[in-house]
Amino acid sequence: MASTSDIETTNPGSMWELDQDLDVPMDEEASRLKNMYIEKKFSSVLLLRLAFQSLGVVFGDLGTSPLYVFYNIFPHGVDNDEDVIGALSLIIYTLTLIPLMKYVFVVLRANDNGQGGTFALYSLLCRHAKVSTIPNQHKTDEELTTYSRQTYEENSLAAKVKRWLKGHAYKKNCLLILVLIGTCTAIGDGILTPAISVLSATGGIRVQNPKMSTDVVVIVAVTILIGLFSMQHYGTDKVGWLFAPLVFLWFILIGSVGAFNIHKYNSSVLKAYNPVYIYRFLRRAKSEIWTSLGGVMLSITGTEALFADLCHFPVLAIQIAFTLVVFPCLLLAYTGQAAYIIVHKDHVVDAFYRSIPDTIYWPAFIIATLAAIVASQATISATYSIIKQALALGCFPRVSVVHTSKKFLGQIYIPDINWVLMILCIAVTAGFKNQIQIGNAYGTAVVIVMLVTTFLMVPIMLLVWKSHWILVVTFLVLSLMVEFPYFIACINKVDEGSWVPLAVAITFFIIMYVWHFCTVKQYEFEMHSKVSMAWILGLGPSLGLVRVPGIGFVYTELASGVPHIFSHFITNLPAIHSVVVFVCVKYLPVYTVPVEERFVMKRIGPKNFHMFRCVTRYGYKDIQKKHDDFEKMLLDRLLIFVRLESMMDGYSDSEDFTVSEQKVERSTNALLMSEKAGSNTLCSGSDLSYSSSHDSIVLAKSPLTGNNSLTRYSSQTYGDELEFLNSCKDAGVVHILGNTIVRARRDSGIIKRIVVDHLYAFLRKVCREHSVIFNVPHESLLNVGQIYYI
């Protein structure tokens, strides 16, 4: 694949170096602060408030697990008291080792500037080890405020790991596959969490009405699920403030009921805090060991939400909430249920509801149902976020992403995914009708995500934290000792419901990997077939065509070079616009790109060619809002760039000098205020200047020195070009997009032909067009058709 390198020498007599000089990577004229993410300092009161609010967003799924855990551990009933105590001991130490020790105190620290989840870990690795499979990044991207990475000594372990990961393409692909596996199973959580939570909560109706059939419970659960998914487009902005008090009340309820049951029924269950009972339980329950482990696994479902939903709260707030409220309340709830089951062994099916005192039964039922809805909502929102991140990193077809809140950027809604989730969730609920099979499926999805996180944490600890290898090995061994037996237990139940998350994960994995594979191949094709800049210059300022008034925005995936679509356009049409701007929209492995650093502008060729390039950069959390006028932002950046360039012209004493970045940044901010562009974005300028002859190219980087340096430029030249641009703007703006058809080469195998010619073609047909994403007016759109063979 062609790669872009910096210019070290200039030889006007060499056509190759001429092409390199004309297409050098863009340097920004504003300085960028490079800083690691430093968590803000919060006052104690504010920190406690955030910890309280995190209960409603982060812990709903984990908090509703007591509804169904013991039934899944003992689906065939309880034989003796020791089994209950052994199972309780397993729950206690599983909660201690995985949510508390691993996630709260270790994994939460592996955040990407406050963002959590599988893709956040992957973005960290892409920055620190450069393992991205789409090579569209450049060193100027590393100067972003949010682009933080480590440097390593040559012979350090981290440097060796980095070189090993970058050594071969298959290693990058293996890492991507691992990330996609975790992502796809996390999407399965978005289907199974609402199903099991709502079905378990509504199952309490039968406790007071034993003659009621299971179908009635299923109908009630399906009705709630339909209502929940149908209300997603309204968002949670107006009712979100209720979530934290509701979940806090839920934890107080289950903790209080648990303490009451310990005191009332059997306080001897407290001996389960002795881990020796785990050994006794596993030795005694050899025949049912995998069934029991699969049920215990459900006690930590929702643990990934601690990490995935980190973006809303500081790490310390989540740590406080878990250690002071969630963890002790869960221990009391499970211990209380165990005390009740020892006395009422035949009530294990509905142990939670039957252990509630009659006087508070119906209030508890209402709170449980509402808590299940909150838990489902958090998982659904997390699924939207996962899809958005996958889309940004080129791993998912383009879908509509809608903002549901004007206050919070992270609250989004994806209509297509919402209805798919609803259909699958209803199918699971109505198809299985019981907690056992759904629980088996749920546990499988959760444990796979946990294993993926464990494996991704290894390079994170080595490259990002620079941890000693002994600590890394210790973390890996301890995590696998707990998680791998649970994985085996869940996989053994494939025929009892565990096939559901596997089927969902495989389906989404095929979609994601096929889309990403074809996207990479299409990018490689465009890199190899891009047009030589020397050839463009050879055509002269008119490009060998009639230059008609107007501005043409040519969209391309390339951040450097002239795309093949442009040559295809000018060889088939006799005219081109007076001003041509190549627009590249690319996503970087950062959670966000500040608006003032989003646009990077440069000029291509001599000034009389009137050709420019604009690279628009987004992070995986950034979204093109529906009301954003993308065309206006591009035009504003173009005008401001021309003014800044005119300021820098004529200040060079030599071919090699540096721009006084702070002064240019101040001048840019002043221009933004004076232009009143209506946008907070900042264009970055090129420092290439050209003489009238394209055979004489000077790499000019002007040091703006002195207090009056900003006033020394040719106002006549600037005024003429500005007037020319405004007249072209008034003549009309056209957006030129490539309507490409991707086909497999004739010598490709049958599998590749099926994947590219049929599956990828179908995905492209049903996904959104770029023109819709960037709100391009239909009357200003021009599609250029061409076929790519990959």
Side-chain angles (χ1 to χ4, degrees):
M1 185 185 302
S3 61
T4 308
S5 60
D6 296 330
I7 298 177
E8 297 178 356
T9 59
T10 302
N11 180 8
S14 170
M15 185 63 70
W16 182 85
E17 293 190 1
L18 173 66
D19 186 48
Q20 294 294 304
D21 285 338
L22 287 169
D23 197 29
V24 294
M26 287 169 275
D27 293 326
E28 304 175 64
E29 77 270 15
S31 64
R32 305 299 180 216
L33 298 175
K34 293 190 292 183
N35 62 323
M36 293 294 291
Y37 172 73
I38 301 176
E39 192 166 306
K40 297 179 180 179
K41 300 296 183 181
F42 297 96
S43 66
S44 300
V45 175
L46 180 58
L47 197 61
L48 291 175
R49 179 183 174 186
L50 291 172
F52 175 75
Q53 291 176 349
S54 69
L55 292 173
V57 177
V58 178
F59 299 105
D61 190 5
L62 185 63
T64 54
S65 296
L67 287 168
Y68 45 78
V69 168
F70 274 106
Y71 178 38
N72 282 271
I73 295 176
F74 302 109
H76 306 299
V78 179
D79 294 330
N80 57 67
D81 298 350
E82 292 295 318
D83 288 344
V84 178
I85 294 175
L88 174 62
S89 188
L90 261 175
I91 293 173
I92 291 170
Y93 285 97
T94 300
L95 282 170
T96 302
L97 292 174
I98 300 300
L100 182 64
M101 303 290 290
K102 176 186 174 182
Y103 278 87
V104 172
F105 291 111
V106 179
V107 176
L108 287 186
R109 294 180 53 235
N111 59 80
D112 179 21
N113 290 11
Q115 306 297 314
T118 305
F119 270 112
L121 295 178
Y122 183 62
S123 67
L124 280 174
L125 293 176
C126 286
R127 295 205 304 271
H128 288 79
K130 298 185 181 300
V131 294
S132 176
T133 53
I134 301 180
N136 62 349
Q137 300 174 39
H138 185 258
K139 68 174 185 178
T140 55
D141 299 330
E142 299 175 8
E143 298 174 6
L144 286 169
T145 303
T146 53
Y147 199 108
S148 58
R149 63 188 182 92
Q150 297 279 8
T151 56
Y152 313 105
E153 297 181 2
E154 183 67 22
N155 296 322
S156 65
L157 178 61
K160 294 178 181 178
V161 172
K162 180 179 178 179
R163 288 194 296 269
W164 183 82
L165 286 174
K166 292 174 58 179
H168 298 88
Y170 79 88
K171 297 175 184 176
K172 297 180 181 179
N173 287 328
C174 289
L175 184 63
L176 176 66
I177 289 173
L178 181 65
V179 171
L180 292 183
I181 291 173
T183 302
C184 294
T185 50
I187 294 173
D189 285 350
I191 298 169
L192 297 169
T193 298
I196 192 169
S197 298
V198 174
L199 184 61
S200 300
T202 55
I205 302 176
R206 295 186 63 193
V207 175
Q208 295 294 327
N209 301 276
K211 295 183 180 179
M212 182 180 294
S213 66
T214 304
D215 293 337
V216 175
V217 177
V218 172
I219 291 173
V220 173
V222 168
T223 302
I224 293 175
L225 290 173
I226 292 175
L228 176 63
F229 283 100
S230 299
M231 299 293 287
Q232 289 299 309
H233 66 283
Y234 292 109
T236 59
D237 194 16
K238 296 181 180 179
V239 297
W241 62 273
L242 285 172
F243 289 176
L246 180 61
V247 176
F248 178 73
L249 182 61
W250 166 254
F251 279 114
I252 296 300
L253 171 68
I254 62 176
S256 301
V257 171
F260 172 79
N261 288 333
I262 294 171
H263 174 73
K264 180 179 179 180
Y265 294 107
N266 194 340
S267 60
S268 64
V269 293
L270 295 176
K271 62 185 179 181
Y273 287 81
N274 184 350
V276 72
Y277 287 94
I278 296 177
Y279 170 73
R280 294 179 181 178
F281 173 71
L282 296 178
R283 185 182 62 179
R284 186 172 52 254
K286 292 182 180 179
S287 59
E288 299 290 335
I289 185 173
W290 300 119
T291 300
S292 300
L293 286 178
V296 174
M297 177 66 211
L298 296 179
S299 65
I300 56 174
T301 55
T303 302
E304 275 292 324
L306 294 175
F307 188 42
D309 295 328
L310 177 63
C311 58
H312 302 287
F313 306 98
V315 172
L316 187 56
I318 294 180
Q319 290 174 335
I320 291 173
F322 186 83
T323 54
L324 296 184
V325 178
V326 178
F327 187 62
C329 288
L330 286 176
L331 292 183
L332 286 172
Y334 287 118
T335 306
Q337 281 192 51
Y340 178 84
I341 293 172
I342 287 177
V343 177
H344 304 87
K345 294 182 176 61
D346 55 334
H347 290 174
V348 68
V349 176
D350 303 307
F352 174 79
Y353 280 114
R354 290 186 179 276
S355 65
I356 296 175
D358 293 337
T359 53
I360 62 170
Y361 180 83
W362 289 113
F365 172 77
I366 295 173
I367 295 173
T369 304
L370 293 176
I373 293 174
V374 172
S376 303
Q377 177 61 54
T379 309
I380 294 170
S381 298
T383 304
Y384 297 153
S385 180
I386 290 171
I387 295 294
K388 171 64 183 67
Q389 294 176 21
L391 190 154
L393 294 176
C395 296
F396 202 83
R398 296 181 295 271
V399 292
S400 173
V401 180
V402 181
H403 276 276
T404 59
S405 173
K406 295 181 180 179
K407 297 180 181 179
F408 304 103
L409 179 64
Q411 293 187 6
I412 60 175
Y413 164 67
I414 304 179
D416 300 330
I417 299 300
N418 180 71
W419 303 124
V420 171
L421 291 179
M422 186 187 75
I423 293 172
L424 294 177
C425 187
I426 292 174
V428 169
T429 305
F432 287 145
K433 297 184 180 181
N434 66 80
Q435 302 172 22
I436 295 296
Q437 290 181 311
I438 300 178
N440 294 338
Y442 194 19
T444 304
V446 171
V447 73
I448 291 176
V449 179
M450 288 183 177
L451 284 171
V452 169
T453 300
T454 298
F455 290 125
L456 289 177
M457 281 297 298
V458 172
I460 292 293
M461 296 177 73
L462 291 172
L463 296 174
V464 182
W465 296 351
K466 299 181 180 179
S467 301
H468 195 280
W469 67 269
I470 295 179
L471 293 177
V472 178
V473 172
T474 302
F475 172 83
L476 180 63
V477 171
L478 290 178
S479 297
L480 292 181
M481 283 178 61
V482 179
E483 294 168 358
F484 194 71
Y486 286 132
F487 174 74
I488 298 298
C490 293
I491 292 299
N492 281 337
K493 300 180 181 180
V494 170
D495 59 339
E496 299 176 17
S498 292
W499 61 269
V500 172
L502 297 178
V504 171
I506 291 172
T507 302
F508 276 94
F509 178 83
I510 292 174
I511 293 174
M512 288 185 173
Y513 192 78
V514 166
W515 184 269
H516 183 78
F517 171 80
C518 294
T519 300
V520 171
K521 291 301 180 182
Q522 184 175 343
Y523 182 83
E524 292 175 355
F525 180 89
E526 292 192 11
M527 281 292 294
H528 286 297
S529 61
K530 65 181 181 180
V531 181
S532 168
M533 288 299 304
W535 179 75
I536 294 293
L537 287 180
L539 297 177
S542 67
L543 300 178
L545 305 168
V546 177
R547 301 294 293 267
V548 298
I551 298 178
F553 290 116
V554 181
Y555 289 80
T556 174
E557 301 290 335
L558 301 180
S560 63
V562 177
H564 182 264
I565 181 180
F566 184 70
S567 64
H568 183 72
F569 180 83
I570 64 178
T571 53
N572 287 275
L573 292 177
I576 191 64
H577 299 87
S578 299
V579 177
V580 176
V581 181
F582 296 103
V583 180
C584 171
V585 179
K586 69 176 183 178
Y587 286 86
L588 301 177
V590 296
Y591 76 101
T592 186
V593 174
V595 179
E596 64 272 13
E597 302 179 57
R598 181 157 295 161
F599 293 90
V600 182
M601 273 280 187
K602 70 168 285 185
R603 186 186 294 275
I604 299 178
K607 288 187 176 181
N608 57 350
F609 276 59
H610 301 297
M611 296 174 64
F612 305 86
R613 181 188 313 286
C614 177
V615 174
T616 308
R617 304 174 296 184
Y618 291 91
Y620 56 79
K621 281 285 187 179
D622 294 328
I623 300 175
Q624 294 85 25
K625 298 180 181 179
K626 187 175 182 179
H627 60 271
D628 286 345
D629 192 340
F630 191 67
E631 178 182 301
K632 183 179 185 301
M633 289 191 289
L634 292 175
L635 292 172
D636 290 341
R637 297 311 100 199
L638 177 61
L639 296 177
I640 294 175
F641 166 76
V642 171
R643 177 182 286 191
L644 285 176
E645 185 190 46
S646 66
M647 290 180 179
M648 292 187 287
D649 276 349
Y651 292 88
S652 173
D653 294 327
S654 65
E655 294 185 4
D656 295 318
F657 54 90
T658 59
V659 178
S660 177
E661 295 176 334
Q662 294 179 347
K663 291 187 177 182
V664 175
E665 183 176 4
R666 288 197 296 269
S667 68
T668 304
N669 293 333
L671 284 172
L672 286 169
M673 295 177 63
S674 64
E675 292 284 343
K676 295 182 179 179
S679 172
N680 294 326
T681 50
L682 172 69
C683 73
S684 297
S686 166
D687 32 31
L688 285 175
S689 63
Y690 305 88
S691 66
S692 59
S693 173
H694 60 264
D695 291 328
S696 176
I697 302 169
V698 180
L699 183 61
K701 297 183 179 180
S702 173
L704 303 178
T705 58
N707 294 332
N708 299 322
S709 62
L710 291 177
T711 62
R712 296 172 55 199
Y713 62 90
S714 175
S715 59
Q716 181 178 3
T717 302
Y718 162 69
D720 292 343
E721 185 165 20
L722 186 61
E723 182 180 357
F724 177 76
L725 290 175
N726 283 323
S727 65
C728 291
K729 174 183 175 182
D730 295 336
V733 177
V734 175
H735 299 261
I736 303 172
L737 281 80
N739 187 14
T740 58
I741 299 175
V742 180
R743 290 284 184 265
R745 294 195 302 265
R746 292 184 177 88
D747 58 347
S748 301
I750 183 65
I751 296 179
K752 185 176 180 180
R753 290 193 177 204
I754 293 174
V755 167
V756 177
D757 295 346
H758 299 284
L759 181 55
Y760 182 67
F762 172 76
L763 293 176
R764 282 182 61 92
K765 184 177 180 180
V766 299
C767 75
R768 303 183 84 209
E769 297 291 340
H770 281 297
S771 58
V772 179
I773 295 176
F774 298 114
N775 303 312
V776 176
H778 184 71
E779 60 273 11
S780 302
L781 178 63
L782 177 62
N783 282 314
V784 179
Q786 56 183 342
I787 299 178
Y788 287 169
Y789 289 95
I790 62 175

